[in-house]
């Protein structure tokens, strides 16, 4: 298999067959991210892609779901995505869906009719690192798009019938910004149809721009209790049916919920943690995180 650079897949794709479609990231400007800082974006040549498909066919000929690695393979053109999707179907006749990471920027150059075609070919499952739906927070994180862009592009996915998943990041707005971020993000996400929302909590690692900004006093991180309160506000204000997974290692206290059915229960669970665990204990957990890999 032709894996190079950092190979990263979401926890929920643990059962998917993994193939490298791209490596690196087309953007590399998010102020909190260090995942692909030293990697240039590269599309796997079709010869490599086909060689990997041959190997997968040899060992997992009945694979039903495949995850394409790389920070954002959906950045590829419609024609390139189409070629690769059809090639997958040539080798793996049982493969029903192909999932991958995507950015809001990657959707902008694709028309709805093209998205519908890609959906029909099996591309269905875009993990989108929105991180926020609040313009001030998006600008602070240097995401390169606005809340209006998220709304416009994801409505195209809704129209095309492509399933997508959001990432929300508590603490990203900094000290005293969590309430605003949670309310505005929940309001935006509630106008869309994410199949589920994965929640991470900002962890500053050396080498990132936000880490440097904190060292210089230009960014003040949110406290741990403020982050849990932000998550409570976010959950209270979400007005859609969706699954919420706040159980990655970046979260001090892992919770999952099906909303709105389990809204009150999970908000109460988080309140119990707020009432019984000290800020200092939570902060020590954050300091002990050397990476977010499991």
């Amino acid at each position: 298999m032709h894996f190079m650079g950092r190979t990263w897949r979401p926890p929920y794709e643990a059962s998917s067959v993994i193939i490298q479609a791209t490596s690196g990231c087309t953007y590399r400007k998010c102020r909190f991210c260090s995942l692909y800082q030293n990697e240039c974006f590269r599309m796997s040549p079709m010869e490599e892609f086909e060689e990997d498909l041959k190997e997968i066919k040899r060992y997992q000929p009945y694979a039903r779901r495949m995850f394409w690695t790389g920070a954002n393979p959906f950045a590829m053109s419609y024609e390139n995505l189409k070629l690769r999707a059809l090639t997958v179907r040539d080798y793996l006749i049982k493969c029903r869906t192909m999932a991958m990471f995507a950015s809001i920027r990657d959707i902008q150059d694709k028309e709805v009719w093209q998205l519908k075609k890609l959906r029909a070919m099996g591309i269905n499952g875009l993990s989108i690192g929105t991180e926020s739906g609040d313009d001030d927070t998006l600008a602070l994180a240097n995401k390169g798009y606005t809340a209006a862009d998220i709304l416009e592009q994801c409505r195209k996915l809704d129209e095309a019938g492509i399933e997508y998943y959001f990432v929300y990041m508590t603490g990203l707005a900094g000290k005293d910004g969590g309430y605003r971020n949670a309310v505005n993000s929940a309001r935006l996400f509630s106008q869309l149809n994410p199949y589920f929302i994965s929640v991470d909590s900002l962890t500053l690692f050396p080498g990132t721009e936000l880490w440097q900004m904190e060292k210089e006093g230009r960014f003040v991180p949110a406290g741990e209790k403020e982050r849990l309160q932000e998550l409570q506000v976010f959950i209270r204000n979400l007005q859609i049916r969706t699954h919420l997974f706040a159980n990655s290692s970046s979260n001090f206290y892992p919770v999952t919920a099906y909303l709105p059915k389990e809204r009150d229960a999970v908000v109460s669970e988080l309140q119990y943690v707020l009432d019984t665990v000290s800020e200092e204990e939570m902060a020590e957990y954050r300091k002990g995180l050397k990476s977010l890999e499991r």
Side-chain angles (χ1 to χ4, degrees):
M1 300 292 289
H2 293 88
F3 290 111
M4 62 178 292
R6 186 180 289 270
T7 301
W8 184 269
R9 57 112 179 108
Y12 46 82
E13 296 290 352
S15 298
S16 302
V17 172
I18 307 296
I19 190 170
Q20 181 169 283
T22 63
S23 58
C25 175
T26 58
Y27 188 61
R28 291 191 297 170
K29 296 177 184 176
C30 295
R31 289 195 171 110
F32 59 85
C33 182
S34 60
L35 279 176
Y36 304 99
Q37 280 183 338
N38 300 315
E39 294 181 41
C40 294
F41 182 79
R42 172 185 182 267
M43 288 187 292
S44 297
M46 278 303 297
E47 311 89 75
E48 289 184 6
F49 194 72
E50 284 205 61
E51 286 176 14
D52 289 349
L53 284 172
K54 290 176 184 176
E55 188 167 349
I56 291 170
K57 183 178 180 179
R58 190 156 59 244
Y59 293 101
Q60 294 179 286
Y62 303 114
R64 301 174 72 85
R65 184 175 176 88
M66 174 175 284
F67 186 80
W68 297 9
T69 67
N72 56 327
F74 207 65
M76 291 189 285
S77 69
Y78 164 72
E79 290 297 336
N80 203 333
L81 289 166
K82 173 183 174 181
L83 173 61
R84 290 169 191 264
L86 292 175
T87 304
V88 169
R89 303 299 283 272
D90 285 342
Y91 284 90
L92 302 170
I93 60 173
K94 296 290 186 180
C95 185
R96 291 188 173 183
T97 57
M98 289 157 264
M100 66 197 74
F101 286 120
S103 165
I104 294 298
R105 293 178 301 275
D106 303 335
I107 308 166
Q108 289 175 327
D109 65 347
K110 296 173 179 69
E111 302 292 336
V112 172
W113 71 265
Q114 294 174 320
L115 295 171
K116 287 181 177 179
K117 290 278 190 180
L118 293 174
R119 171 65 181 86
M121 295 171 206
I123 291 180
N124 187 36
L126 300 183
S127 293
I128 305 174
T130 47
E131 268 69 70
S132 171
D134 171 66
D135 279 332
D136 288 342
T137 306
L138 291 168
L140 173 63
N142 198 32
K143 290 298 295 182
Y145 49 76
T146 65
D149 293 329
I150 296 173
L151 189 63
E152 179 182 0
Q153 299 309 316
C154 289
R155 280 181 169 168
K156 287 163 59 177
L157 297 180
D158 285 337
E159 186 176 347
I162 291 181
E163 188 177 285
Y164 56 93
Y165 326 120
F166 282 162
V167 176
Y168 178 77
M169 186 175 287
T170 62
L172 187 58
K175 181 176 172 57
D176 298 328
Y179 182 86
R180 183 201 69 240
N181 187 27
V183 170
N184 289 338
S185 297
R187 183 178 297 132
L188 176 71
F189 292 0
S190 294
Q191 299 176 65
L192 295 164
N193 295 287
Y195 187 73
F196 62 75
I197 299 171
S198 178
V199 179
D200 291 325
S201 190
L202 176 67
T203 305
L204 296 176
F205 292 114
T208 62
E209 193 173 346
L210 268 187
W211 178 83
Q212 187 62 38
M213 289 170 65
E214 192 228 350
K215 295 301 178 188
E216 297 170 359
R218 295 186 292 128
F219 176 74
V220 181
E224 296 299 323
K225 290 206 171 190
E226 182 183 352
R227 296 167 190 236
L228 289 183
Q229 291 165 345
E230 177 184 348
L231 181 56
Q232 285 180 312
V233 173
F234 181 65
I235 291 170
R236 285 194 189 104
N237 284 271
L238 277 171
Q239 300 300 317
I240 50 175
R241 292 186 182 277
T242 191
H243 298 267
L244 181 132
F245 299 98
N247 58 352
S248 69
S249 59
S250 68
N251 294 281
F252 171 77
Y253 184 78
V255 294
T256 62
Y258 179 61
L259 303 177
K261 182 179 180 181
E262 298 172 336
R263 186 197 316 277
D264 292 342
V266 74
V267 167
S268 296
E269 192 175 344
L270 290 168
Q271 189 60 48
Y272 177 79
V273 178
L274 285 164
D275 293 340
T276 58
V277 183
S278 70
E279 177 75 28
E280 292 72 24
E281 184 178 341
M282 296 182 190
E284 282 301 312
Y285 175 82
R286 179 86 39 215
K287 289 177 185 176
L289 286 175
K290 303 305 180 186
S291 82
L292 300 183
E293 298 180 23
R294 292 188 171 219

